[in-house]
């Protein structure tokens, strides 16, 4: 650009000459020079020329040349050619034209040129360029240009099509102005435009004039930006016109832009309506304990939907996703980063008096137990413990293995929750917190089939209680399920079970399973039935339907479930094969949208029949009814309502989290009465997030009882035609989290069932209930070798709903030598938690993998147990899990935002977990690692968030000189190892930033207040992986469990002598040894998509975001082509 200044002078001279030229020939010459200059280079030359006053020069020239009469087209045509070329790049071109006064000149020229299409077309394009400035467009409207252009648009013709196209595009540009759109509505132009569009659509059979059709749709699109435009469109039967024309386009890819535009228009004009529920608030509410200092969530029971304004704004909506406040969200920006140095350093402090921490001593029995007298114990003395621990619940048939009694089991039955502050709570906790091993104490001999005893008094209800909204029934106490009438707990699909039992275990078996067979105590009496169950036990390690039943009976739920979901009862075997991600966006989404729009166009087609409603449990369908049957009243179940739309199509509505009107994401329900081989379409119509992995290859999961009883894979990914898009159901201000009025989203998928009359379960993700966890913990304890593994199952506290929150201790059993005991007591702590968000069942599967690995015989597990004591709280939010919530606890709050100041009454699990961590710190045993397992619904792979002072400062662009700051980079060790050894893990998705908005999360509080350097959130995808060994595959329970095991393997790296042991222990994970030097690279540049937690844009255009559809860049007009190819056709001017 050294010659630029020379050119600049030259260019300025040329432009000035042009501007002042009144002579046609010299103007023609200069225009030719300019055209050559601009044709040779890139757009940069045009911008340069604009900066030197090029636009003004051209506009002035037009004024000068139009003064010559008659108009000399030898100069006007090349001039307009340049005006279009330059004007398209100059945002202020219209404004300049207004100022210089060329709009009227152009208009006169246009009128003068009629009907010579050769001269008309350039004028039209120039007008279009002026109109790209909305203010100029409005001014042009006031002198009647839109009407003139509309009159130039004729019905289908093969003549003058270039002029028609230019007129149509010019009109659409003008209609971006709301003033012009309003006039257009008043003058009935919508109707006329629709007629024109329909005519061109029908008669342009060769699809030669797609740009004209597109431009007509753009006119309609801009008019329907305004409310009256939408109304006029509906009144003109626009829906029917656009739907039928779009459907007629079929799958012709040339017509894709036309169909896309038409679809956008139809979706924005679809009248907003309310969700077909009385109130969006959860069907259940939970009366919170009376505490003065709580910030009570909104009053339960209120907020009927009348507050849902369904009015729409004229303004285009730009709704940011404020829903997923998971970890770094997509609307997160650098402003959210903490830059206050005092808050960027761990600054341990206790949030309660030291004496209160003493109560957590009981949760570290390994530090106070005595082991010396172990060997002195006689067999006789240990008998009672033996019974207590071995027949812990009841005796299941089959060989029974008793553990060697250990002295440290002595206090099992005395376990209790920490002393609560509130005496009433304390009493409750006492009553509702029997140790798991306690309940079978009265059992008979261990080889008998032992009936389950109802042990002890019924727990009193928490001071809260559950009610069904909005009927206002008296508060109903939750009570111990099955305590009074356990025979009511039964499987819901008895017939199917019986018939399958017949085929699986023989007729004898089926005969014994009579119709009234309850799940529970009589089980074991039925030999053949139990054979089937025994087979099951062999197939699934750490699962046992007997134990599950018992655990489920003790689980307390808001609705007092009496039914078990078969998958949880029977267990899950992952498929043997990997499930690939679904193909992305095949472009057939419009078919689904069209079906939705069809409901409005032909309401008669729609059945609109409620077939399931949790609020009308008495809803009876006749025997002859052929519709599907739905059910969700079981643990972790979530389906509020099902509405049959067409014969094979259902709208489904999820329930909000208890005490909220939000968080519709988790679903889990039963379907029966299906026909095999028929595609059923399901629409979940009250999703909240603005995007979903369902748009990127994720499928829901389904469990077929038929398949399971045949011994085949259980939960598997299913569904085709999966799309996620914004729908026409409005969300109220509250349900939209204070955002502007916005809409719900639809998740649609199609399932073709394999078997008729099967019973199937559909879920958002592989369910993992609280009772499943309790079963798993029980069986783990039963099956491990107590000589090697010290395993303690204690109760952290009682939840609001009266369930026990377990805390597990795992380490190696000490020897009895003093030095062994000394080593035992000096082991460092590792603290792991999971499932604070109940909808994140993936986190539980990862935790399952961790627990099984830690008690296993794997040499790495042994080595870890020898060095560390693991404290694990596998489910921080049992009530949420049990009641099918997605994110909150019974208080209606996100527990992962309560860590700064947890309330003992409202957030007991968080309060006591923090208490336990504080206790560890108070005795100088701050954990080496803390990790909270989560699930992430909008990202692939598994990754971690940690906390780093320097990385936060770098990312925030802070001016603080980080070179002077010291930071231990040990926080990077684990993610680095996991990246090497775990196929699902991706280090480049990890972030180590401290955000202000996350300061009350476990990760940040444990790092800052407890002082744990390695404090993490580990996020597992719901979807699948896009890197590593599992690239292109969906994640399954096998991969999640593997992640849990690999996480433990990664911890081995922290062992000081990892290199030494590593050589002997690690064969498959040799990568552990290779990366030592890499840890030295100090400065790590954070992954570039730090502020984006969404997927990158899909290769296919995403038009579910229709309310926010962006202006498509108009194709640049090449007027040279237009002019050269100009026909001599006469332009027919509309008569109006
Ligand atoms: Zn989470």
């Amino acid at each position: 650009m050294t010659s630029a200044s020379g050119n600049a002078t030259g260019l300025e001279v040329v432009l000035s000459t042009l501007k002042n030229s009144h002579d046609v020939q010299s103007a023609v010459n200069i225009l030719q020079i300019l055209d050559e200059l601009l044709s040779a280079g890139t757009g940069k030359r045009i911008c340069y020329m604009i900066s030197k006053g090029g636009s003004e020069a051209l506009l002035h020239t037009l004024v000068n040349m139009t003064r010559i009469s008659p108009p000399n087209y030898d100069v006007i045509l090349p001039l307009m050619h340049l005006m279009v070329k330059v004007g398209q790049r100059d945002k202020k071109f219209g404004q300049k034209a207004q100022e210089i006064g060329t709009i009227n000149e152009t208009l006169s020229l246009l009128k003068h040129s009629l009907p010579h299409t050769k001269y008309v077309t350039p004028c039209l394009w120039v007008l279009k360029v002026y109109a790209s400035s909305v203010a100029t467009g409005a001014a042009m409207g006031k002198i009647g240009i839109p009407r003139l252009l509309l009159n130039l648009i004729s019905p289908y013709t093969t003549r003058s099509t270039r002029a028609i196209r230019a007129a149509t595009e010019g009109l659409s540009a003008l209609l971006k102005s709301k003033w012009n759109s309003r006039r257009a509505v008043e003058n009935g132009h919508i109707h006329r435009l629709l007629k024109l569009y329909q005519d061109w659509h029908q008669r342009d059979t060769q699809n030669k004039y797609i740009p004209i059709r597109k431009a007509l749709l753009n006119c309609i699109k801009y008019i329907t930006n305004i409310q009256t435009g939408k109304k006029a469109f509906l009144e003109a039967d626009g829906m029917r016109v656009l739907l039928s024309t779009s459907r007629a386009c079929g799958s012709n890819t040339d017509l894709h832009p036309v169909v896309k535009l038409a679809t956008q228009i139809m979706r924005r004009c679809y009248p907003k309506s309310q969700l077909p529920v009385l109130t969006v608030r959860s069907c259940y509410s939970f009366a919170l304990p009376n505490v003065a200092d709580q910030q009570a969530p909104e009053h339960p029971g209120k907020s009927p939907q009348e507050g849902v304004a369904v009015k729409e704004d004229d303004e285009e909506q730009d709704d940011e996703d404020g829903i997923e406040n998971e970890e770094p969200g997509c609307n997160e920006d650098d402003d959210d980063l903490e830059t206050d140095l005092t808050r960027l350093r761990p600054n341990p402090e206790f949030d309660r008096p030291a004496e209160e921490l003493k109560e957590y001593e009981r949760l570290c029995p390994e530090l106070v137990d005595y082991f010396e007298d172990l060997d002195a114990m006689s067999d006789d003395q240990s008998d009672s413990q033996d019974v207590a621990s071995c027949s812990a619940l009841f005796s299941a048939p089959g060989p029974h293995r008793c553990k060697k009694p250990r002295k440290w089991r002595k206090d099992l039955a005395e376990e209790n929750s920490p002393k609560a502050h509130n005496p009433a709570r304390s009493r409750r906790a006492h009553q509702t917190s029997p140790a798991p091993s306690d309940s079978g104490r009265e059992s008979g001999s261990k080889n008998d089939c032992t009936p389950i005893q109802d042990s002890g008094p019924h727990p009193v209800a928490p001071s809260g209680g559950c009610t069904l909204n909005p009927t206002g029934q008296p508060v109903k106490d939750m009570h111990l399920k099955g305590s009074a009438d356990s025979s009511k707990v039964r499987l819901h699909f008895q017939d199917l079970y019986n018939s399958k039992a017949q085929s699986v275990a023989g007729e004898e078996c089926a005969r014994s399973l009579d119709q009234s067979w309850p799940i529970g105590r009589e089980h074991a009496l039925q030999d053949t039935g139990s054979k089937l169950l025994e087979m099951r036990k062999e197939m699934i390690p750490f699962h046992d339907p007997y134990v599950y039943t018992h655990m489920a009976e003790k689980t307390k739920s808001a609705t007092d479930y009496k039914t078990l979901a078969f998958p949880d009862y029977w267990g899950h075997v992952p498929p043997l094969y990997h499930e690939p991600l679904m193909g992305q966006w095949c472009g057939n989404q419009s078919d689904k949208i069209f079906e939705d729009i069809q409901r409005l166009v032909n309401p008669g087609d729609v059945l609109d029949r409620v077939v399931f409603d949790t609020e009308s449990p008495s809803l009876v369908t006749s025997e002859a009814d052929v519709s599907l049957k739905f059910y969700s009243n079981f643990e972790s179940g979530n389906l509020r309502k099902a509405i049959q739309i067409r014969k094979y199509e259902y709208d489904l509505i999820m329930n909000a989290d208890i005490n909220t009107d939000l968080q519709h994401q988790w679903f889990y329900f039963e379907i029966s009465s299906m026909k095999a081989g028929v595609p059923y379409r399901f629409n979940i119509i009250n999703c909240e997030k603005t995007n979903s992995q369902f748009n990127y290859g994720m499928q829901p999961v389904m469990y077929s009882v038929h398949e399971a009883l045949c011994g085949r894979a259980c939960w598997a990914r299913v569904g085709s035609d999966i799309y996620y898009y914004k729908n026409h159901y409005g969300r109220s201000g509250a349900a939209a989290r204070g955002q502007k009025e916005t809409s719900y989203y639809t998740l649609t998928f199609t399932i073709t069932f394999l078997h008729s009359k099967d019973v199937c379960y559909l879920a958002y993700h592989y369910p993992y209930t609280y009772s499943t966890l309790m079963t798993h913990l029980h069986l783990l304890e039963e099956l491990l070798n107590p000589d090697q593994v010290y395993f303690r199952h204690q109760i952290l506290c009682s939840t609001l709903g009266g369930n026990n929150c377990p805390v597990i201790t795992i380490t190696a059993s000490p020897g009895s030598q003093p030095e062994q005991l000394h080593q035992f007591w000096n082991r460092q702590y590792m603290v792991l938690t999971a499932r604070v968000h109940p909808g994140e069942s993936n986190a539980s599967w990862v935790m399952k993998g961790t627990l099984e690995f830690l008690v296993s015989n794997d040499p790495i597990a042994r080595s870890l147990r020898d060095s560390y004591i693991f404290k694990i709280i596998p489910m921080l939010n049992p009530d949420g899990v049990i009641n099918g919530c997605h994110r909150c606890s019974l208080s209606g709050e996100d527990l992962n935002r309560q860590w700064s100041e947890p309330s003992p009454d409202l957030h007991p699990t968080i309060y006591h977990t923090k208490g336990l961590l504080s206790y560890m710190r108070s005795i100088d045993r701050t954990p080496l690692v803390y990790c909270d397992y989560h699930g992430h619904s909008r990202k692939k792979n598994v990754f971690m968030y940690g906390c780093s002072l320097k990385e936060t400062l770098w990312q925030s662009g802070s001016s603080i000189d980080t070179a002077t700051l010291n930071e231990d980079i040990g926080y990077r060790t684990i993610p680095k190892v996991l990246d090497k050894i775990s196929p699902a893990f991706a280090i480049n998705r990890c972030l180590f930033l401290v955000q202000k908005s996350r300061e009350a999360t476990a990760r940040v509080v444990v790092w800052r207040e407890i002082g744990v350097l390695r404090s993490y959130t580990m996020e597992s995808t719901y979807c699948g992986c896009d890197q590593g060994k599992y690239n292109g595959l969906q994640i399954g329970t096998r991969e999640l469990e593997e992640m849990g095991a690999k996480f433990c393997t990664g911890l081995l790296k922290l062992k000081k002598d990892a290199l030494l042991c590593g050589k002997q222990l690690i064969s498959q994970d040799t990568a552990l040894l290779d990366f030592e030097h890499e840890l030295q690279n100090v400065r790590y540049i954070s992954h570039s998509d730090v502020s984006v937690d969404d997927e990158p844009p899909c290769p296919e255009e995403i038009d579910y975001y229709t309310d926010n559809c962006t202006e498509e860049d108009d194709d640049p007009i090449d007027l040279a082509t237009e002019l050269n190819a100009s026909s001599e056709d006469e332009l027919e001017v509309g008569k109006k």
Side-chain angles (χ1 to χ4, degrees):
M1 287 299 280
T2 44
S3 60
S5 59
N7 286 345
T9 334
L11 181 62
E12 276 163 348
V13 171
V14 170
L15 289 175
S16 165
T17 316
L18 175 67
K19 189 173 163 184
N20 297 313
S21 162
H22 295 266
D23 166 56
V24 169
Q25 194 50 49
S26 58
V28 167
N29 291 343
I30 297 171
L31 289 170
Q32 202 171 352
I33 292 167
L34 286 175
D35 191 34
E36 277 167 22
L37 199 69
L38 297 184
S39 303
T42 61
K44 275 186 186 167
R45 290 199 183 190
I46 300 177
C47 295
Y48 184 68
M49 181 172 149
I50 292 167
S51 75
K52 294 294 168 197
S55 301
E56 289 87 343
L58 294 170
L59 290 163
H60 277 291
T61 311
L62 186 74
V63 174
N64 296 340
M65 293 303 133
T66 47
R67 298 218 170 113
I68 300 166
S69 185
N72 186 328
Y73 288 100
D74 290 341
V75 65
I76 286 175
L77 290 184
L79 176 61
M80 287 191 159
H81 167 60
L82 268 184
M83 286 171 75
V84 170
K85 201 167 190 171
V86 173
Q88 288 180 101
R89 299 254 176 187
D90 184 354
K91 284 204 174 87
K92 297 195 167 157
F93 198 76
Q95 198 186 323
K96 290 171 185 172
Q98 245 180 305
E99 284 161 11
I100 295 166
T102 48
I103 293 178
N104 280 319
E105 304 289 350
T106 313
L107 184 59
S108 329
L109 202 56
L110 171 69
K111 286 178 177 162
H112 190 272
S113 310
L114 290 173
H116 301 290
T117 177
K118 180 173 179 177
Y119 304 136
V120 163
T121 308
C123 296
L124 291 168
W125 284 121
V126 169
L127 287 173
K128 189 210 159 177
V129 173
Y130 296 158
S132 21
S133 150
V134 175
T136 311
M140 291 164 74
K142 286 169 188 161
I143 55 172
I145 298 184
R147 179 182 291 269
L148 175 66
L149 297 193
L150 183 63
N151 288 341
L152 293 177
I153 307 170
S154 75
Y156 177 80
T157 169
T158 52
R159 296 156 51 113
S160 306
T161 54
R162 287 173 193 280
I164 292 172
R165 178 185 167 191
T168 317
E169 294 209 6
L171 180 61
S172 84
L174 287 165
L175 290 169
K176 285 182 195 173
S177 142
K178 290 196 172 128
W179 195 90
N180 290 343
S181 282
R182 251 173 251 130
R183 296 295 88 72
V185 172
E186 284 160 18
N187 295 320
H189 290 171
I190 270 273
H191 189 76
R192 195 158 148 201
L193 286 163
L194 276 167
K195 282 263 177 262
L196 284 167
Y197 175 71
Q198 208 171 7
D199 186 65
W200 280 88
H201 164 82
Q202 281 165 0
R203 293 161 66 193
D204 178 23
T205 50
Q206 306 290 308
N207 297 328
K208 280 170 72 181
Y209 304 111
I210 291 173
I212 295 177
R213 291 156 67 179
K214 219 177 123 188
L216 283 166
L217 286 175
N218 267 322
C219 293
I220 298 170
K221 180 176 119 179
Y222 292 125
I223 296 177
T224 54
N225 263 347
I226 60 170
Q227 206 51 41
T228 50
K230 290 187 178 79
K231 199 162 158 260
F233 174 82
L234 293 173
E235 284 166 5
D237 211 12
M239 283 291 204
R240 190 183 304 275
V241 171
L242 293 197
L243 184 63
S244 62
T245 50
S246 301
R247 282 196 154 153
C249 292
S251 54
N252 186 334
T253 48
D254 292 342
L255 294 172
H256 184 73
V258 175
V259 174
K260 194 180 148 202
L261 257 176
T263 309
Q264 277 179 359
I265 296 166
M266 288 187 281
R267 292 181 64 192
R268 74 159 48 160
C269 292
Y270 200 110
K272 283 217 172 180
S273 56
Q274 296 183 347
L275 271 186
V277 286
L278 280 173
T279 162
V280 290
R281 206 166 172 84
S282 172
C283 321
Y284 312 110
S285 64
F286 181 81
L288 296 172
N290 267 337
V291 278
D293 58 340
Q294 72 182 70
Q295 318 97 327
E298 289 163 68
H299 188 262
K302 69 156 198 180
S303 76
Q305 253 201 115
E306 78 232 0
V308 182
V310 289
K311 68 170 195 295
E312 293 143 282
D313 271 311
D314 267 7
E315 309 301 323
E316 293 293 84
Q317 289 172 356
D318 184 37
D319 42 355
E320 292 283 304
D321 183 359
I323 309 307
E324 171 113 347
N325 288 318
E326 187 64 58
E327 280 284 340
C330 68
N331 55 348
E332 175 170 275
D333 51 86
D334 291 351
D335 291 347
D336 188 30
L337 293 174
E338 186 61 75
T339 50
D340 178 351
L341 267 188
T342 58
R343 298 189 62 73
L344 271 174
R345 290 183 191 282
N347 184 17
E349 52 186 307
F350 296 120
D351 69 350
R352 60 198 88 177
E355 55 271 23
E356 279 186 29
L357 293 176
K358 290 211 178 74
E359 69 176 86
Y360 297 101
E361 194 179 82
R362 69 166 192 97
L363 292 177
C364 296
E366 64 280 2
L367 300 180
V368 292
D369 277 351
Y370 293 98
F371 296 91
E372 293 91 325
D373 58 345
L374 194 66
D375 296 334
M377 287 176 71
S378 76
D379 285 352
D380 289 346
Q381 282 170 310
S382 63
D383 263 0
S384 61
Q385 267 100 36
D386 194 352
V387 173
S389 57
C390 293
S391 59
L393 291 160
F394 54 89
S395 303
H400 208 92
R401 196 174 63 73
C402 282
K403 283 172 289 189
K404 190 175 167 189
R406 301 298 298 244
K407 180 76 193 307
W408 42 263
R409 296 190 158 266
K410 65 182 164 36
D411 61 347
L412 263 186
E414 300 150 17
E415 310 250 359
N416 210 333
S417 59
K419 266 186 234 122
H421 291 224
N422 158 342
R425 282 186 45 76
S426 175
R427 187 173 63 249
R428 177 167 78 252
H430 189 82
Q431 286 163 331
T432 59
S433 306
S437 308
D438 197 26
S439 44
R441 183 159 293 230
E442 305 299 318
S443 304
S445 105
K446 61 189 177 236
N447 291 322
D448 286 350
C449 301
T450 312
I452 298 162
Q453 299 292 329
D454 188 16
S455 57
H458 288 187
V460 296
S463 41
C466 271
T467 47
L468 188 67
N469 265 348
T471 52
Q473 285 166 351
V475 171
K476 195 174 80 180
D477 289 346
M478 288 196 206
H479 60 83
L480 186 66
K481 173 157 31 149
S483 56
D485 47 1
S486 65
S487 61
K488 276 194 186 168
V489 178
R490 59 183 72 238
L491 293 170
H492 198 236
F493 34 78
Q494 201 63 53
D495 294 348
L496 181 72
Y497 185 92
N498 288 351
S499 71
K500 288 319 294 180
Q502 195 158 4
S503 58
V504 175
E507 264 183 58
E508 194 190 354
C509 158
R511 230 177 293 130
S512 65
L513 296 173
D514 72 58
Q515 299 277 320
S516 61
W517 181 63
I519 300 305
R521 65 188 75 174
E522 291 96 41
H523 254 220
L525 298 171
Q526 308 194 7
D527 291 346
T528 41
S530 52
K531 260 187 223 161
L532 189 64
L533 286 162
E534 283 306 303
M535 282 165 52
R536 193 61 189 163
K537 282 172 69 177
E538 304 296 309
M539 286 164 66
I540 309 181
F542 302 114
H543 184 77
D544 181 333
Y546 290 113
V547 181
Y548 185 83
T549 307
H550 183 72
M551 293 300 179
E553 280 176 340
K554 296 202 293 184
T555 298
K556 286 158 220 155
S557 67
T559 56
D560 197 15
Y561 309 126
K562 292 282 188 273
T563 305
L564 303 181
F566 187 85
D568 306 316
Y569 168 79
W570 195 241
H572 162 60
V573 186
L576 295 170
Y577 49 90
H578 284 293
E579 295 168 283
L581 289 167
M582 284 292 279
Q584 297 191 341
W585 285 72
C586 309
N588 292 327
Q589 188 200 6
S590 9
D591 292 347
K592 303 293 151 193
I593 306 271
F594 293 164
E595 285 178 22
D596 292 354
I597 293 166
Q598 185 72 37
R599 299 186 195 185
L600 186 76
V601 172
N602 280 334
D605 287 1
V606 177
L607 298 172
D608 208 11
R609 201 162 67 92
V610 177
V611 294
F612 170 76
D613 188 352
T614 42
E615 284 152 299
S616 313
S618 54
L619 192 80
V620 199
T621 46
S622 71
E623 278 303 309
D625 187 5
V626 290
S627 66
L628 290 179
K629 291 186 174 48
F630 295 85
Y631 190 75
S632 69
N633 193 13
F634 46 76
E635 190 174 345
S636 293
N638 187 326
L639 178 69
R640 179 174 188 154
K641 197 166 181 178
I643 303 163
Q644 187 174 18
I645 297 299
R646 298 184 177 93
K647 193 170 180 191
Y648 299 114
E649 181 178 357
Y650 294 83
D651 277 0
L652 308 175
I653 298 175
M654 295 177 282
N655 190 23
D657 281 7
I658 291 186
N659 280 0
T660 80
D661 43 22
L662 286 168
Q663 315 296 356
H664 307 95
Q665 190 164 338
W666 173 259
F667 57 85
Y668 180 20
F669 54 87
E670 183 196 285
I671 303 179
S672 54
S673 295
M674 66 282 283
K675 269 194 206 169
V678 178
Y680 285 88
R681 179 177 170 189
F682 298 98
N683 312 301
I684 298 182
I685 60 171
N686 62 338
C687 304
E688 289 169 5
K689 293 192 174 170
T690 53
N691 200 352
S692 165
Q693 283 286 335
F694 284 116
N695 276 337
Y696 304 97
M698 184 161 105
Q699 294 173 287
V701 295
M702 190 173 87
Y703 189 111
S704 154
V705 172
H706 186 117
E707 289 288 294
L709 289 175
C710 293
R712 291 194 279 268
C714 296
W715 285 110
R717 302 279 188 170
V718 292
S720 58
D721 288 337
I722 303 176
Y723 302 104
Y724 187 93
Y725 52 85
K726 192 180 258 188
N727 62 31
H728 65 281
Y729 292 110
R731 288 170 71 184
S732 70
R737 275 251 177 104
Q739 299 171 50
K740 256 166 67 175
E741 302 296 331
T742 181
S743 303
Y744 286 102
Y745 288 75
T746 292
L747 162 65
T748 182
F749 52 87
T750 300
I751 293 177
T752 306
F753 297 98
L754 275 177
H755 312 286
S756 285
K757 307 243 177 260
D758 195 358
V759 176
C760 291
Y761 292 80
L762 264 168
Y764 180 71
H765 195 72
Y766 309 94
Y768 191 99
T769 66
Y770 172 74
S771 303
T772 302
L773 171 71
M774 299 310 276
T775 304
H776 187 226
L777 294 177
H778 175 77
L779 294 173
L780 270 184
E781 190 171 9
E782 285 282 298
L783 296 169
L784 57 79
N785 179 353
D787 287 330
Q788 290 177 2
V789 185
Y790 176 102
F791 183 100
R792 292 295 302 272
H793 175 161
Q794 294 176 284
I795 294 150
L796 178 74
C797 61
S798 183
T799 64
L800 283 178
N803 292 292
N804 290 331
C805 177
V807 52
I808 305 297
T809 308
I810 298 173
T811 186
S813 287
S816 53
Q817 301 306 310
E819 63 273 19
Q820 290 171 311
L821 285 170
H822 188 260
Q823 191 273 344
F824 178 81
W825 284 320
N826 281 299
R827 290 173 192 167
Q828 284 183 289
Y829 278 104
M830 303 269 191
V831 178
L832 308 176
T833 57
R835 208 73 191 276
V836 70
H837 293 144
E840 295 167 2
S841 58
N842 35 6
S844 278
W845 290 97
V846 176
M847 185 53 90
K848 179 172 187 282
T850 291
L851 286 164
E852 283 172 20
F853 182 80
L854 284 178
V855 302
S856 73
N857 279 325
D858 187 291
I860 294 177
R862 264 190 257 149
S863 173
L864 287 168
R865 290 195 302 262
D866 284 341
S867 302
Y868 303 114
I869 301 170
F870 290 87
K871 284 280 173 208
I872 300 176
I873 299 153
M875 198 171 275
L876 281 169
N877 189 355
D879 293 340
V881 171
I882 293 164
N883 293 300
C885 300
H886 181 70
R887 195 162 181 94
C888 298
S889 70
L890 291 185
S891 73
E893 293 165 292
D894 180 345
L895 290 180
N896 202 30
R897 291 293 182 281
Q898 312 302 332
W899 281 76
S900 291
E901 292 177 63
S903 149
D905 298 297
L906 288 177
H907 325 115
T909 59
I910 305 303
Y911 181 83
H912 293 300
T913 304
K914 192 175 175 187
L916 175 59
L917 285 158
S918 302
Y919 170 71
M920 290 174 172
R921 204 187 95 69
S922 75
I923 57 166
D924 255 351
R925 305 291 296 267
T926 303
L928 187 62
V929 171
Y930 171 75
C931 188
D932 192 21
Y933 294 2
H934 284 252
H936 204 293
S937 68
R938 292 185 303 174
K939 281 186 164 184
K940 294 197 168 71
N941 312 302
V942 181
F943 51 93
M944 282 177 142
Y945 296 118
C947 304
S948 156
L949 168 142
K950 288 197 177 187
E951 294 195 26
T952 305
L953 289 177
W954 289 329
Q955 188 65 45
S956 71
S958 159
S959 57
I960 297 168
D961 178 13
T962 52
T964 62
L965 303 172
N966 287 323
E967 180 171 45
D968 184 339
I969 59 155
Y971 66 89
R972 291 197 54 81
T973 313
I974 294 169
K976 282 208 163 210
V977 182
L978 293 181
D979 194 50
K980 303 256 179 197
I981 63 173
S982 171
F985 195 88
I987 196 168
N988 60 2
R989 314 297 153 90
C990 295
L991 289 173
F992 303 93
L993 306 175
V994 182
Q995 302 90 349
K996 292 175 202 155
S997 61
R998 307 290 181 268
E999 69 176 11
T1001 61
R1003 164 177 69 99
V1004 175
V1005 169
V1006 172
W1007 171 76
R1008 184 180 284 152
E1009 292 185 37
I1010 311 294
V1012 177
L1013 169 72
R1014 298 173 184 84
S1015 176
Y1016 305 103
T1017 295
M1018 185 160 78
E1019 300 273 4
S1020 299
T1021 179
Y1022 286 103
C1023 177
C1025 296
D1026 59 7
Q1027 54 82 49
K1029 190 175 139 196
Y1030 299 147
N1031 190 3
L1033 300 175
Q1034 300 197 70
I1035 204 126
T1037 57
R1038 196 194 311 276
E1039 293 76 26
L1040 291 165
E1041 290 187 49
E1042 177 193 62
M1043 185 64 234
K1046 293 288 183 187
F1047 175 82
C1048 299
T1049 303
L1051 295 176
L1052 191 68
K1053 187 68 202 83
L1054 298 179
K1055 247 180 114 162
K1056 288 199 180 70
D1057 53 354
L1059 276 174
L1060 188 65
C1061 329
K1063 279 176 186 142
Q1064 296 140 20
L1065 295 176
I1066 310 161
S1067 48
Q1068 80 275 31
D1069 291 326
T1070 47
L1072 267 176
L1073 304 175
D1074 303 333
F1075 74 101
E1076 185 70 16
H1077 63 281
E1078 293 176 33
L1079 292 177
Q1080 305 308 320
N1081 79 356
V1082 180
R1083 177 152 183 168
Y1084 166 74
I1085 304 303
S1086 284
H1087 183 226
S1088 62
D1089 78 336
V1090 56
S1091 60
V1092 184
D1093 121 334
D1094 254 319
E1095 287 286 324
C1098 227
E1100 299 276 341
E1101 289 152 301
I1102 302 170
D1103 72 351
Y1104 63 86
Y1105 213 7
T1106 175
D1107 270 14
N1108 202 19
C1109 51
T1110 48
E1111 305 294 318
E1112 275 172 54
D1113 279 331
D1114 295 320
D1115 305 327
I1117 306 157
D1118 185 1
L1119 204 50
T1121 319
E1122 299 288 326
L1123 294 174
N1124 294 339
S1126 63
S1127 64
E1128 296 296 332
D1129 295 340
E1130 300 279 298
L1131 188 63
E1132 290 172 37
V1133 180
K1135 298 294 178 285
K1136 282 199 177 171

